[in-house]
């Protein structure tokens, strides 16, 4: 689970500067790190990732649901929760934090300092991991 690095954001592009449409056309999750790692070990995998999203703060302070808020749902409309009782992962890999910390804080954001952002991030990260572990335990 993660952000644009996990999704494979623009990973098959042959050039560095792309339009938004070109980025989407050259994003291939099947060639991103999670899929490549799973293939290497002969494992099944599932990618739950959203470009630009973080644990408590999205890229550049973008207003949108963070990963822990969006994660339980199939789509951004939050109409249907994701549920696959047969999916029983033995390992979760979480690659989040880039979007929370890459850009400077802006006036109006809830954190007055980077230290406050770090503290909030740590608390929400731990809570998110606990929630994921609890979901797995209920499936076993």
């Amino acid at each position: 689970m993660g952000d644009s690095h996990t999704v494979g954001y623009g990973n098959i592009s042959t050039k560095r500067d792309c339009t938004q449409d070109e980025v989407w056309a050259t994003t291939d999750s099947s060639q991103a790190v999670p899929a490549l790692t799973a293939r290497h070990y002969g494992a099944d995998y599932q990618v739950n990732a959203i470009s630009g999203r973080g644990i408590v703060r999205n890229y550049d302070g973008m207003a949108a649901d963070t990963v822990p808020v969006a994660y339980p749902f199939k789509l951004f409309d939050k109409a249907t929760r994701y549920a696959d009782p047969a999916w029983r992962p033995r390992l979760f890999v979480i690659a989040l934090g880039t979007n929370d910390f890459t850009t400077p804080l802006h006036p109006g954001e809830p954190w007055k300092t980077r230290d406050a952002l770090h503290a909030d991030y740590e608390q929400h990260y731990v809570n998110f991991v606990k929630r994921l572990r609890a979901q797995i335990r209920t499936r076993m």
Side-chain angles (χ1 to χ4, degrees):
M1 130 180 13
D3 55 24
S4 43
H5 299 289
T6 310
V7 169
Y9 188 78
N11 62 338
I12 61 170
S13 177
T14 58
K15 59 185 186 174
R16 185 170 176 87
D17 295 316
C18 298
T19 66
Q20 192 62 43
D21 287 342
E22 290 171 328
V23 169
W24 290 116
T26 59
T27 295
D28 185 351
S29 294
S30 73
Q31 294 187 51
V33 172
L36 297 173
T37 303
R39 275 197 292 279
H40 175 80
Y41 290 103
D44 293 330
Y45 71 96
Q46 177 175 305
V47 176
N48 298 79
I50 311 169
S51 294
R53 307 300 175 90
I55 290 285
V56 294
R57 181 176 187 259
N58 297 321
Y59 181 79
D60 204 28
M62 173 183 68
D65 288 339
T66 58
V67 171
V69 174
Y71 173 78
F73 301 98
K74 287 185 178 183
L75 300 172
F76 291 129
D77 65 5
K78 299 180 189 171
T80 307
R81 288 186 166 272
Y82 171 78
D84 181 357
W87 180 249
R88 295 187 177 149
R90 293 186 297 168
L91 175 68
F92 271 93
V93 176
I94 301 173
L96 290 166
T98 304
N99 293 312
D100 295 271
F101 300 108
T102 301
T103 58
L105 292 170
H106 302 292
E109 289 191 79
W111 312 277
K112 300 301 176 206
T113 65
R114 299 290 284 186
D115 287 341
L117 173 60
H118 280 110
D120 197 29
Y121 175 89
E122 288 176 19
Q123 178 187 1
H124 280 81
Y125 186 93
V126 168
N127 290 340
F128 186 47
V129 170
K130 286 179 180 178
R131 198 169 90 210
L132 293 172
R133 285 181 176 164
Q135 288 174 352
I136 295 307
R137 283 189 196 113
T138 61
R139 293 185 197 167
M140 298 180 127

